Amino acid sequence: MIKNLEKILICSGLFLLITKAILGGFLLWQELKNKNETNLDYDGWQQAQELINLTNQYRLDHGLNQLIPNPRLTQAAINKAHDILANNYFNHTSPSGKRFSAWIKEVGYPYLYAGENLAIDFTNTEELFNAWIKSDKHRENIERPNFQEIGIASLTGIFDKKKTNVVVQFFGTRNLTTSELATQEKNYSSNYNNLINNINNNFDNQKIIYQSLIFVNHYLEIMIIIIAILLIILSLLKLISKFSTNHQIKNFNNNQTKIIKAKTKRYQAKINNE
């Protein structure tokens, strides 16, 4: 019975070890992938929302209109941030000569006015915004009265061989009449809310899956430890059983030896008496 149980535990342990090795390798690959790739992570998305709030609060404090978040400007900002990290440059114009306005045109945003602010290697959102305010050109974009909409992306990735984050802030005013702007504003706001919900849901789903895999990995570790302990206990039981058996055999042999000796003495005594 002990041998059968030992075989079952060994097979189960090997299966769990192989499963844990595969899962551990996958989790390690994900970590390395996240370190080496450009990512729109939850912290970056939160920073983008905070920058929109800071920008609008600043404009309100200076008697200006609030800027409406626009999904196309947001997508253009994401595309531009990806390109900055992919091609390792920090400029309003890419090494291939692509101006910032081209990114806005590509997403189908019919702009009348457009502007761009850039930032890199800022983890603190307020410090980043204050740096923009201290810069005349960046502050001019933030204070420009004829801007109506905004889109921001904050992405993490590798720049100059080190991990950092890049922020792209696009401003725009669509080339529409007042009535067209009023008609489409509701649709654009709805699209932006859908974009936020989709991204948040994606982040939530990724987080749940990743945490679940980590939990399974820890669970496998516990199961492997339990199986190892059980195998040790079984080994001890086998040793005890073996020792007990050997002891019993030894006692049996000793008893048999005593019996034989006693019989031999009686036999010799009988012969002497005769």
Side-chain angles (χ1 to χ4, degrees), residues 91-187:
N91 201 296
H92 295 291
T93 303
S94 72
S96 62
K98 188 174 183 177
R99 291 173 53 81
F100 78 88
S101 56
W103 297 100
I104 298 175
K105 289 179 182 178
E106 280 183 355
V107 296
Y109 185 89
Y111 74 88
L112 179 62
Y113 302 105
E116 178 189 52
N117 283 342
L118 299 176
I120 191 169
D121 209 21
F122 279 92
T123 55
N124 186 289
T125 305
E126 291 189 1
E127 289 180 1
L128 187 160
F129 187 76
N130 289 333
W132 277 344
I133 295 301
K134 290 176 182 178
S135 167
D136 292 338
K137 290 185 178 180
H138 293 92
R139 187 177 65 252
E140 181 182 343
N141 277 332
I142 293 172
E143 293 179 349
R144 195 166 179 180
N146 48 6
F147 284 147
Q148 296 176 342
E149 296 175 315
I150 188 172
I152 301 180
S154 176
L155 272 64
T156 58
I158 304 300
F159 188 89
D160 281 345
K161 298 182 180 180
K162 69 174 184 177
K163 188 174 182 179
T164 187
N165 73 306
V166 169
V167 177
V168 177
Q169 182 183 47
F170 277 146
F171 304 90
T173 298
R174 280 174 279 156
N175 189 17
L176 302 172
T177 65
T178 304
S179 60
E180 287 175 327
L181 184 62
T183 302
Q184 294 193 24
E185 182 175 312
K186 184 177 180 180
N187 294 331

